[in-house]
Amino acid sequence: MAPEQVTLTVPARGEYARTVRMTASELAVRLGMPYDRIEDVRMAADEAFVYACSRTSETGTVVFQFELTDEELTMCVGPIASVGESEDPLQDAPGRYASFILEAVCDTFVVEPGDDGARLRIVKRASDDEE
């Protein structure tokens, strides 16, 4: 399958968390992921959304860019504002907690810097064949 992309832009408010979780899990189902991997995708989307909201004003938005291939689902989430002088938006306690969860449930998790804020890049493979 050629990569397919889905973009979801939601207000940075908690009542949209379900929209994010449902979209992410539906895309994981489309890839034929087993139940445990779908739950990991749902948890990662939720944690990324909660953290992005904590770094965005209530009138702001959070953008999820999903990319699907036969092998994996990638989510790029942002923008994430920096904390203080550091370029690393995950240096504070809530950021370290989000990082801990995302590293535990994702196959790949990185923070990519950007001009308007960092992006969380989260990858979950469709199967655990490579683990």
Side-chain angles (χ1 to χ4, degrees):
M1 153 184 8
E4 296 179 348
Q5 297 184 347
V6 175
T7 301
L8 176 67
T9 302
V10 295
R13 296 195 316 260
E15 60 262 35
Y16 287 93
R18 183 172 183 198
T19 302
V20 169
R21 285 192 307 266
M22 296 302 290
T23 302
S25 61
E26 171 58 26
L27 294 174
V29 168
R30 289 178 51 88
L31 289 180
M33 287 186 182
Y35 180 77
D36 61 328
R37 291 192 162 266
I38 294 168
E39 285 301 308
D40 288 347
V41 167
R42 186 188 330 236
M43 182 181 293
D46 190 58
E47 190 61 36
F49 180 68
V50 168
Y51 188 69
C53 287
S54 75
R55 295 283 176 236
T56 306
S57 73
E58 224 176 87
T59 58
T61 58
V62 177
V63 178
F64 275 73
Q65 294 174 310
F66 299 95
E67 183 175 288
L68 295 86
T69 66
D70 287 334
E71 297 84 27
E72 64 190 25
L73 171 63
T74 301
M75 297 183 272
C76 289
V77 183
I80 309 289
S82 296
V83 178
E85 300 287 321
S86 174
E87 294 289 322
D88 182 0
L90 300 174
Q91 70 168 342
D92 61 346
R96 286 191 298 271
Y97 179 76
S99 180
F100 174 77
I101 297 296
L102 292 171
E103 287 173 358
V105 300
C106 300
D107 295 312
T108 303
F109 166 63
V110 295
V111 178
E112 298 176 334
D115 291 339
D116 64 339
R119 300 282 189 277
L120 307 180
R121 186 170 184 275
I122 301 162
V123 178
K124 189 70 176 177
R125 288 189 301 271
S127 69
D128 58 0
D129 291 342
E130 296 179 29
E131 290 182 349

